[in-house]
Amino acid sequence: MKDTLTFDQLPEAVTQIQIKLDNIEQLLISQQEQSPEQEELMPITKAAEFLDLAVPTVYSKVCRKEIPVNKRGKRLYFYRSELTEWIKSGRKKTADEIREDAVQHLATNNKKAKAF
């Protein structure tokens, strides 16, 4: 554990804190500058390539409103980040996760049944 600062050590401590905050700020700024690549708008051909699907399959998913899309005139555009989230939302639960959900559901329902 660090020693307690004295009044004379405060200016140096504040300087060190300011340096660390400046470093954190620079890291955040550089991270934000890299993020716009994630927000790249893609036409349907690039989106199909990204999803590893045929272009007609992407069109059918758009028609069935299964996939996030932006439409401007007759053109369809897709954000890479939205497609990534869409893929993640399709995650299937493991058998252990399903079992845990079932146990929690039964426990909740038993509490409600006992209340009556």
Side-chain angles (χ1 to χ4, degrees):
M1 189 151 120
K2 292 209 173 199
D3 296 328
T4 305
L5 294 173
T6 65
F7 183 76
D8 294 332
Q9 294 171 322
L10 283 177
E12 179 63 28
V14 169
T15 301
Q16 292 299 321
I17 290 171
Q18 184 62 45
I19 289 170
K20 289 181 180 185
L21 283 174
D22 289 342
N23 289 338
I24 291 170
E25 182 181 32
Q26 289 304 314
L27 282 172
L28 290 173
I29 289 170
S30 69
Q31 224 174 17
Q32 286 176 344
E33 290 171 355
Q34 293 171 3
S35 290
E37 290 177 25
Q38 289 283 327
E39 288 303 312
E40 163 191 2
L41 264 179
M42 299 184 289
I44 194 161
T45 53
K46 294 249 186 205
E49 184 180 317
F50 174 73
L51 295 170
D52 196 23
L53 297 172
V55 172
T57 304
V58 176
Y59 273 118
S60 68
K61 290 187 176 299
V62 167
C63 286
R64 292 190 307 258
K65 299 183 186 218
E66 295 178 2
I67 192 168
V69 65
N70 297 281
K71 187 172 181 182
R72 194 69 172 159
K74 294 183 179 184
R75 303 260 181 190
L76 300 177
Y77 299 97
F78 303 83
Y79 282 108
R80 179 181 300 271
S81 60
E82 288 180 350
L83 293 178
T84 301
E85 286 303 312
W86 175 73
I87 292 168
K88 288 178 181 179
S89 71
R91 181 182 177 277
K92 300 286 185 190
K93 291 185 176 184
T94 65
D96 287 339
E97 289 171 330
I98 293 169
R99 208 173 294 116
E100 180 63 30
D101 287 349
V103 167
Q104 287 181 359
H105 179 73
L106 289 173
T108 302
N109 283 346
N110 284 342
K111 288 179 186 176
K112 288 179 183 176
K114 288 179 182 178
F116 289 111

